[in-house]
């Protein structure tokens, strides 16, 4: 275009006879100049406004997934592997494509996934039986073992800078987050201990109230938010530089954390309650706004029940229908002769799933409430079983989400924020403001 423009300029002759024509030429030149100028503006949106075909958009999504670092706030690989690890059985080979589970090296590469936070998940029952710290240690060891077994494919990462270094050498980083503060027990120094072991966020509790705070899934409301010890844990996490994860905690715990924490926080795997009315495990509009105002990030959970209340209701209706069918045959689900009826029923009434479009709706919703600097990805792969949405069934499918965002007009820069930059901002800030 610039070449044409120059050629036009040099053939321009301003003779008396051509006066009228030259006026038109000047107008044309002006329009041409404006066009050339607008083409040179560094605005990503212009690129997309020029009507890319569906195939071109898909190719662009795949390219962006390859080029941009994708971090995911929550993948439950360690807990999936714990059985093999504890029993000393051969582990599934995570360097190859595997049949089971949602994650392995080959599929992660296909999806452009570079830094999945490995969830060190401690079920609430360990709060009663003891052994939470031992389980956490063994799950952390299993992550370290993955990196030792396949040093050319996986590496640990304690900072965004380390993820970047691994990315340059083609390795997948395995940063770690601990889901449930139970392994801290009643000893604040365990916050320092787990930080030294590589834990970079702690979800304060899981499905039950613990010594730190109340859970969204528990109706006991033991502390009406944070316990006195929990307040000290929040303070210590700020001091040590461990991100506070507000997923799973009750609303009152959330508001107290927001009041108390001197650093921004993350929700490692939560979605918007707007689409799942009454489901306290997701965040309300009010909470998302406050999280954003304080610089935090909500990483969207992909589980269908986190994404769409209608899907939950449809599946519930199916279960009720099946139960009454079995009852009319004097059977329960456990009876062996019920199997054929269940199979036939499931064929006629297949399970409902949410969609990749719905995940994009959640991202849109957060952007609308808090802005594009406060949303990320927290799939919960390997943690939500057979509940993943169409188009995001495993770690190979992130490009489908990027395609959906491109279709909705998100720029590459905005997609980069969602894929990693937003949560890295919090990760760096929490580390930089630590005092211990
Ligand atoms: Zn969880």
């Amino acid at each position: 275009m610039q070449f044409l423009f120059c050629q036009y300029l040099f053939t321009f002759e301003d003779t008396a006879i051509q006066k009228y024509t030259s006026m038109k030429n000047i107008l044309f030149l002006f329009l041409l100049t404006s066009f050339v100028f607008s083409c040179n503006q560094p605005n990503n949106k212009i690129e997309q406004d020029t009507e890319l075909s569906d195939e071109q958009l898909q190719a662009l999504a795949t390219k962006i997934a390859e080029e941009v670092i994708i971090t995911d706030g929550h993948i439950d690989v360690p807990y999936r592997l714990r059985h093999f690890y504890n029993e000393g059985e051969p582990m599934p080979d995570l360097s190859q494509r595997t049949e089971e589970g949602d994650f392995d090296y080959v599929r992660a590469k296909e999806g452009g996934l570079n830094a999945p936070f490995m969830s060190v998940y401690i079920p609430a029952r360990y709060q009663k039986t003891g052994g939470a710290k031992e389980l956490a240690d063994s799950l952390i060891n299993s992550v370290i073992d993955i990196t030792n077994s396949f040093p050319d494919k996986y590496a640990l990462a304690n900072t965004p800078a380390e993820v970047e270094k691994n990315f340059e050498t083609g390795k997948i980083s395995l940063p770690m987050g601990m889901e449930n503060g139970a392994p801290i027990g009643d000893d604040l120094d365990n916050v320092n201990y787990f930080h030294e072991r590589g834990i970079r966020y702690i979800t304060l509790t899981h499905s039950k109230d613990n010594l730190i705070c109340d859970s969204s899934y528990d109706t006991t409301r033991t502390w009406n938010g944070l316990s006195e010890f929990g307040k000290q844990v929040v303070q210590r996490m700020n001091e040590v530089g461990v991100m506070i994860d507000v997923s799973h905690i009750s609303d009152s715990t959330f508001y107290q954390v927001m009041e108390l924490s001197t650093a921004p926080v993350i929700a490692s795997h939560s979605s918007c309650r707007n689409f799942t009315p009454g489901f306290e495990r997701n965040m309300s509009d009010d909470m998302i706004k406050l999280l954003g105002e304080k610089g935090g990030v909500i990483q969207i959970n992909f589980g269908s029940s986190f994404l769409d209340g209608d899907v939950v209701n449809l599946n519930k209706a199916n279960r009720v229908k099946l139960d009454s069918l079995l009852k009319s045959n004097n059977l329960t689900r456990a009876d062996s002769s019920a199997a054929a009826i269940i199979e036939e029923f499931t064929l006629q009434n297949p399970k409902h799933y949410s969609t990749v479009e719905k995940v994009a709706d959640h991202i849109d919703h957060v952007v609308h409430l808090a802005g594009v600097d406060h949303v990320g990805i927290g799939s919960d792969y390997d943690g939500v079983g057979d509940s993943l949405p169409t188009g995001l069934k495993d770690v190979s499918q992130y490009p489908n989400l990027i395609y959906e965002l491109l279709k909705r007009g998100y720029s590459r820069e905005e997609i980069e924020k969602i894929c990693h930059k937003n949560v890295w901002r919090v990760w760096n800030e929490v580390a930089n403001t630590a005092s211990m």
Side-chain angles (χ1 to χ4, degrees), residues 288-289 291-293 365-374:
I288 292 168
K289 278 187 204 159
L291 179 90
E293 279 163 24
H365 192 69
V366 178
V367 170
H368 170 72
L369 291 171
V372 75
D373 293 333
H374 303 286

Side-chain angles (χ1 to χ4, degrees), residues 44 48 63-64 67-68 410-416:
N44 298 315
Q48 289 156 37
K63 187 170 175 283
I64 290 176
E67 291 174 357
V68 162
Y410 283 81
S411 68
R412 181 184 166 114
E413 194 190 346
E414 289 168 334
I415 290 169
E416 274 191 74

Side-chain angles (χ1 to χ4, degrees), residues 74 179 206 248 269 281 380:
H74 197 91
E179 184 176 29
H206 190 253
H248 280 290
H269 60 308
R281 172 67 182 80
D380 217 348

Side-chain angles (χ1 to χ4, degrees), residues 269-293:
H269 60 308
S270 294
S271 303
C272 307
R273 203 179 295 169
N274 173 66
F275 300 94
T276 57
F279 184 45
E280 200 184 308
R281 172 67 182 80
N282 276 345
M283 294 181 77
S284 72
D285 287 2
D286 204 56
M287 291 158 81
I288 292 168
K289 278 187 204 159
L290 182 59
L291 179 90
E293 279 163 24

